[in-house]
Amino acid sequence: MTHTLKRKANQIRKDIMKMIYRAKTGHTGSDLSCADILVTLYYHVLKIDPQNPDDPERDRYVQSKGHAAEVLWAVLADKGFFEKEELLTFSQYQSRLIGHPNNQVPGVEMNTGSLGHGLAVSTGMALAAKMDKKPYKVYTLMGDGELAEGSVWEGAMAAAHYQLDNLTAIIDRNGLQITGKSEDVMGIDPLADKWRSFGWQVLEVDGNDVDQLISAFGFPNEVGRPKMIIAHTVKGKGVSLAENTPEWHHYVPSEEEYTAALNDLDNFMGGTSHDK
Amino acid sequence: MTNKNTIPNRQAMCNTLIETATRDENIVVLTSDSRGSASLKAYAEALPEQMVEVGIAEQNIVGIAAGLAHSGKRPFAVSPACFLSMRSIEQVKVDVAYSNMNVKLVGISGGVSYGALGMSHHSLQDFAVTRAIPNLQVLVPADRFETMAMFRELVKSSQPAYIRLGRNPVADCYEHADYGFEIGKAVRMTQGDDITLIATGETVRVALDAAELLGKQNISAEVINIHSIKPLDTNAIISSARKTGVVITVEEHSIHGGLGAAVVETLAMERDVVTKIIGFPDEELVTGTSPELFAHYGLEKNNLVKIAREMLGESYGDSEG
């Protein structure tokens, strides 16, 4: 299972690089850091059906860090929510694959892009499930830089207040944002303590390790508590030039860099190619 | 003529919501520590399972409402207009309008309802801001009957909307709620040939009173109630303006970007129409109660009559002075 997921994440990273290189736009570093999280969610955790994307019983995923849209598009296409060829239209004139999630596209629940919105919206979804006594679960992914938005903490308070143990949030803790180190831009540590003090159950994992992610998602929610998974990741993961460099947050590689990036990804897991 | 109605529009909203939510468990009311000021205590007591309190967190009330709507609820997020239309405007734009979530945003104590509490509590920019957001209706009922009619429609509609209500009772403009209210359809309250008075919300009563005074001076005024600032009934505005050629708009809002602006945008291509916008000036207001502020800034019948006579004098070339 985990071997398959790792290969899948590698393939998604290649799709991301191709989309960004072709469109000459995209949040490269942000996509690469959370690719393993999305792959674990979409290929292991979420109860969703690409043939029935509006199933009222489905699990919901809200990507609060909307700028990492390329990874979401790549995953949704690979899952069959739309044709993979459409990825070639990313950011092109009149494409519905915008640089942020767009819920006109099957599989996208909410439009995001302005940071600090996803947790409140997910709280509303989880609250609706409780009101209707439905078993579906709600997941939302935030960036660590995003946590400077005050609205995140309004959502955090409400989710705990309403005891939403059907809600799981994940923080892509890559430690970098566009200006530099997140702790330098606006310090957020001790991060786990903050969420615990807000009434959340908190787990910390290596967010680029699918085994650890699987365990964290599978770990039962404490009754009456929303769950936070702090996923420690490497920004730009998988592309050596991009790793841990804030400049790659919103960066389009040159031809040379693009070739090097694909080369890195091709050499992943001993150079086996597992592209579809 | 003006009566002594004591039921504020927010009370009419509460009654209508109780009436409909009792039959539809998907209707949910959200408040931000605002159930008292929204007159929603009775709703909260009657339907506690269909009530969500978010505390003093206006961004959160809109985001949570959007999430509830996403999963099939029909949320009414009720919060003071000054905060709902400013503090949470980005959630309104992205989570509600852009994401197309069926949320009804109810701004209570709108305009200068809060009177002497000052500019932080006035919402005199809300029409301007909300009507510039695509996929968001902007609605303002004139009295308690129109509030009832409007909310009966709102519980059926699937469109995102911002509704502004005032705090204090307003004199009735209608005799009952069954007059055929339609979102986007203006109501011609009186017929006239000499001048068109276009109003919204609490100023509809002001316009009606002015029309009555003008009638005594043999000036026939047509009063149009724009309860839907968006979608706007442009046909009603254009046809009346073409008939009279003289238009006054009056609104409890900044003179910039509100009803008057919407009307002037509509009439921009009309060669033979003059329009005057009455509203609050682009400056910090003096201190006062809501009626004092209406009077101070000329949102009252005598001022409308004066301006009407001036405009008619100019356009007819027979000014008295």
Side-chain angles (χ1 to χ4, degrees):
Chain A
M1 182 65 203
T2 58
H3 190 70
T4 315
L5 291 183
K6 283 175 189 173
R7 284 192 326 220
K8 182 59 77 182
N10 187 252
Q11 174 219 312
I12 294 293
R13 284 189 166 91
K14 285 189 206 170
D15 291 342
I16 292 166
M17 291 311 300
K18 287 173 191 166
M19 286 168 74
I20 291 174
Y21 182 66
R22 185 184 163 86
K24 301 289 179 224
T25 181
H27 286 85
T28 319
S30 318
D31 290 319
L32 294 172
S33 80
C34 62
D36 305 292
I37 297 168
L38 268 87
V39 164
T40 306
L41 275 167
Y42 274 90
Y43 298 85
H44 183 72
V45 177
L46 295 176
K47 294 190 178 71
I48 46 165
D49 177 5
Q51 303 309 314
N52 189 10
D54 297 323
D55 181 356
E57 307 300 323
R58 74 193 182 280
D59 287 344
R60 274 78 162 158
Y61 168 68
V62 175
Q63 190 166 308
S64 195
K65 53 170 289 187
H67 54 282
E70 299 82 16
V71 63
L72 181 62
W73 297 140
V75 166
L76 290 178
D78 190 74
K79 288 289 289 184
F81 282 94
F82 56 88
E83 294 295 319
K84 209 164 175 183
E85 291 73 55
E86 194 175 342
L87 290 179
L88 299 175
T89 73
F90 168 64
S91 283
Q92 303 301 304
Y93 178 60
Q94 293 194 328
S95 172
R96 57 182 184 168
L97 304 185
I98 314 173
H100 289 100
N102 166 18
N103 66 358
Q104 309 263 326
V105 179
V108 178
E109 305 286 358
M110 288 295 289
N111 294 349
T112 51
S114 175
L115 296 171
H117 287 225
L119 187 54
V121 167
S122 302
T123 296
M125 292 177 185
L127 193 55
K130 290 282 183 189
M131 285 173 154
D132 292 340
K133 300 184 172 55
K134 288 195 170 180
Y136 68 80
K137 305 272 194 285
V138 183
Y139 298 85
T140 188
L141 174 66
M142 295 182 279
D144 52 357
E146 176 176 0
L147 302 178
E149 294 281 8
S151 52
V152 169
W153 303 97
E154 291 185 10
M157 248 188 276
H161 180 82
Y162 284 103
Q163 305 186 350
L164 301 179
D165 50 16
N166 53 350
L167 172 65
T168 298
I170 310 104
I171 294 170
D172 181 6
R173 180 64 165 142
N174 59 38
L176 294 176
Q177 57 196 94
I178 199 162
T179 301
K181 290 182 182 166
S182 298
E183 282 307 303
D184 293 341
V185 177
M186 184 49 67
I188 192 71
D189 274 333
L191 186 54
D193 290 348
K194 280 197 171 70
W195 287 92
R196 282 193 191 99
S197 74
F198 269 72
W200 287 57
Q201 175 188 10
V202 180
L203 304 173
E204 291 199 68
V205 297
D206 177 341
N208 293 125
D209 181 332
V210 291
D211 291 304
Q212 290 194 33
L213 285 167
I214 287 172
S215 318
F217 282 115
F219 199 84
N221 279 59
E222 283 175 36
V223 174
R225 279 182 197 272
K227 182 162 82 184
M228 169 56 71
I229 299 173
I230 299 175
H232 294 274
T233 58
V234 172
K235 191 147 185 158
K237 177 74 179 178
V239 173
S240 52
L241 282 168
E243 286 190 1
N244 283 318
T245 57
E247 294 77 17
W248 276 65
H249 173 84
H250 189 196
Y251 182 80
V252 179
S254 67
E255 188 182 349
E256 211 170 60
E257 289 164 335
Y258 174 63
T259 309
L262 286 190
N263 197 36
D264 280 355
L265 294 167
D266 277 336
N267 288 329
F268 178 77
M269 299 173 89
T272 47
S273 174
H274 296 281
D275 270 0
K276 272 186 177 173
Chain B
M1 192 56 203
T2 308
N3 68 6
K4 296 285 182 198
N5 166 47
T6 56
I7 299 172
N9 294 349
R10 56 199 168 115
Q11 184 64 53
M13 165 187 74
C14 179
N15 297 344
T16 310
L17 285 175
I18 291 176
E19 167 193 311
T20 49
T22 305
R23 297 192 301 265
D24 181 354
E25 64 175 20
N26 280 328
I27 292 175
V28 178
V29 169
L30 298 94
T31 49
S32 56
D33 198 24
S34 48
R35 70 184 64 186
S37 36
S39 293
L40 282 166
K41 280 183 179 162
Y43 177 99
E45 281 163 21
L47 297 159
E49 304 295 316
Q50 287 165 254
M51 181 89 190
V52 175
E53 176 60 69
V54 304
I56 305 169
E58 291 83 11
Q59 297 181 79
N60 221 23
I61 195 175
V62 178
I64 290 176
L68 288 167
H70 179 276
S71 295
K73 296 293 175 190
R74 308 174 76 78
F76 286 71
V78 188
S79 182
C82 51
F83 311 132
L84 191 61
S85 67
M86 287 281 142
R87 181 64 151 267
S88 41
I89 197 65
E90 193 183 65
Q91 279 77 10
V92 172
K93 182 184 104 174
V94 178
D95 305 351
V96 176
Y98 178 38
S99 293
N100 193 27
M101 293 297 136
N102 180 15
V103 176
K104 309 305 184 206
L105 303 148
V106 185
I108 51 164
S109 299
V112 295
S113 291
Y114 282 129
L117 294 185
M119 190 161 180
S120 64
H121 280 59
H122 295 163
S123 62
L124 294 175
Q125 301 78 26
D126 51 346
F127 300 164
V129 172
T130 53
R131 80 183 187 91
I133 296 176
N135 194 33
L136 184 67
Q137 297 179 334
V138 182
L139 309 174
V140 198
D143 72 355
R144 57 182 168 139
F145 295 118
E146 193 159 72
T147 305
M148 285 168 63
M150 183 179 283
F151 276 81
R152 283 177 189 160
E153 286 303 304
L154 285 169
V155 293
K156 289 187 269 178
S157 114
S158 57
Q159 289 245 4
Y162 170 76
I163 305 99
R164 190 227 265 190
L165 300 180
R167 181 174 181 79
N168 307 311
V170 284
D172 294 338
C173 300
Y174 296 91
E175 290 170 1
H176 52 77
D178 304 316
Y179 60 90
F181 174 89
E182 256 182 77
I183 290 170
K185 183 94 181 119
V187 182
R188 189 165 61 181
M189 308 293 287
T190 66
Q191 277 204 58
D193 298 319
D194 298 329
I195 188 162
T196 304
L197 305 179
I198 302 181
T200 188
E202 295 192 19
T203 59
V204 173
R205 187 65 251 174
V206 176
L208 287 170
D209 293 344
E212 193 174 316
L213 282 180
L214 286 166
K216 289 176 183 162
Q217 300 174 30
N218 293 322
I219 295 171
S220 126
E222 184 148 294
V223 174
I224 297 180
N225 169 14
I226 301 287
H227 52 65
S228 301
I229 292 182
K230 192 178 169 185
L232 187 65
D233 190 345
T234 53
N235 288 337
I237 293 168
I238 290 171
S239 63
S240 182
R242 282 185 182 163
K243 179 171 63 172
T244 65
V246 184
V247 177
I248 299 176
T249 68
V250 54
E251 65 196 297
E252 186 182 359
H253 187 269
S254 163
I255 50 169
H256 296 315
L259 172 71
V263 167
V264 169
E265 288 160 15
T266 303
L267 298 175
M269 296 296 281
E270 296 299 316
R271 226 171 252 285
D272 303 315
V273 177
V274 289
T275 306
K276 170 88 177 162
I277 298 174
I278 309 293
F280 287 96
D282 187 25
E283 63 192 38
E284 192 183 325
L285 305 186
V286 300
T287 304
T289 62
S290 167
E292 283 166 349
L293 294 173
F294 269 56
H296 185 92
Y297 293 102
L299 282 74
E300 50 91 30
K301 59 185 176 185
N302 293 314
N303 186 49
L304 288 195
V305 168
K306 177 171 162 279
I307 290 169
R309 291 191 60 89
E310 283 169 8
M311 290 177 80
L312 288 169
E314 283 164 22
S315 63
Y316 293 158
D318 60 354
S319 170
E320 291 174 336

